[in-house]
Amino acid sequence: MNMGKRANVAVFASGTGSNFDAIMSSPDRNFDVVRLVSDKPKAHVIGKAASFGIQTIVFNPSEYEDKVAYEEELLDQLKKARVEWIVLAGYMRVIGKTILDAYEGKIINIHPSLLPSFPGIDAIGQALEAGVKVSGVTIHYVDEGIDTGEIIAQEAVTVFPHDTRESFQRRIQQVEHKLYPQVLNKLTAE
Ligand code: GRF
């Protein structure tokens, strides 16, 4: 148990940032979000970070020679900010060896399906296309694969016959927004 000291977390996000919002707004959050990292200079989530007073690290991967180059620079900034945990929340890039090795067992992702079903992009569309009656949300450790790391928590979400993509996605997100802050509180306190 981590007595007293709050863990320092960086959230990585490329998109809307509804999970970032949920994490920041969680009333009983027991860790500090010290950086928002984004690979998309125009991402909506960057404005959200500003509204919460969170410093952002924004980079454009196309300006670097390769993944190693931008991850080395990023790693340097994470270390300077004393980041202990990396929380992916709609970050659309695969984490490379540079960061994986430096943060072994400390990188977490959320995925909108019951893994190992429907890994990769558009898990919600994949589930609806497959006609499953139950899908859900998975929180897992990140390894070198795509959505393959050890599972930490899962919650099922029923697909109703009348569901549209929007209505189903809304219920998936409601679960994400509740589950992610809960699981992160527990993990970072250990
Ligand atoms: C979430 O559905 C998450 O499971 C997936 O990307 C989405 C991010 O949504 N990895 P948001 O940007 O947090 O709204």
Side-chain angles (χ1 to χ4, degrees):
M1 199 47 139
N2 190 346
M3 301 296 283
K5 192 196 163 297
R6 289 163 70 93
N8 282 345
V9 168
V11 177
F12 284 35
S14 310
T16 317
S18 70
N19 279 282
F20 173 73
D21 213 333
I23 291 166
M24 293 310 303
S25 309
S26 159
D28 53 357
R29 179 165 45 84
N30 61 11
F31 53 89
D32 291 324
V33 177
V34 296
R35 291 292 182 276
L36 182 272
V37 174
S38 186
D39 60 323
K40 293 264 182 347
K42 291 184 180 155
H44 188 70
V45 68
I46 293 170
K48 287 199 171 161
S51 72
F52 285 108
I54 303 296
Q55 282 191 50
T56 53
I57 301 172
V58 183
F59 64 98
N60 185 348
S62 66
E63 290 171 4
Y64 293 81
E65 201 175 309
D66 54 20
K67 190 188 282 270
V68 173
Y70 71 70
E71 284 203 342
E72 275 177 352
E73 195 177 300
L74 183 52
L75 187 56
D76 196 47
Q77 298 197 53
L78 295 173
K79 293 285 175 196
K80 279 188 183 135
R82 301 189 186 285
V83 168
E84 300 166 280
W85 290 84
I86 294 176
V87 167
L88 309 185
Y91 182 69
M92 300 305 283
R93 279 177 189 275
V94 175
I95 301 289
K97 195 170 160 44
T98 308
I99 291 182
L100 275 179
D101 286 353
Y103 282 92
E104 208 189 331
K106 298 279 187 180
I107 312 178
I108 313 298
N109 184 40
I110 188 162
H111 185 76
S113 76
L114 295 177
L115 291 171
S117 291
F118 313 126
I121 58 163
D122 193 20
I124 290 174
Q126 290 185 57
L128 293 176
E129 179 70 17
V132 295
K133 302 299 177 207
V134 176
S135 189
V137 173
T138 302
I139 295 169
H140 64 95
Y141 289 105
V142 172
D143 63 12
E144 63 285 346
I146 295 176
D147 304 322
T148 50
E150 185 192 334
I151 292 170
I152 301 165
Q154 290 187 307
E155 190 167 319
V157 178
T158 301
V159 185
F160 296 130
H162 59 265
D163 259 332
T164 60
R165 189 193 160 91
E166 288 65 36
S167 63
F168 179 57
Q169 181 165 349
R170 206 174 311 123
R171 290 204 312 287
I172 288 270
Q173 285 187 331
Q174 282 168 359
V175 170
E176 288 190 334
H177 298 165
K178 176 199 62 161
L179 195 61
Y180 217 5
Q182 276 176 7
V183 168
L184 294 174
N185 261 350
K186 198 156 173 278
L187 277 178
T188 57
E190 279 166 1

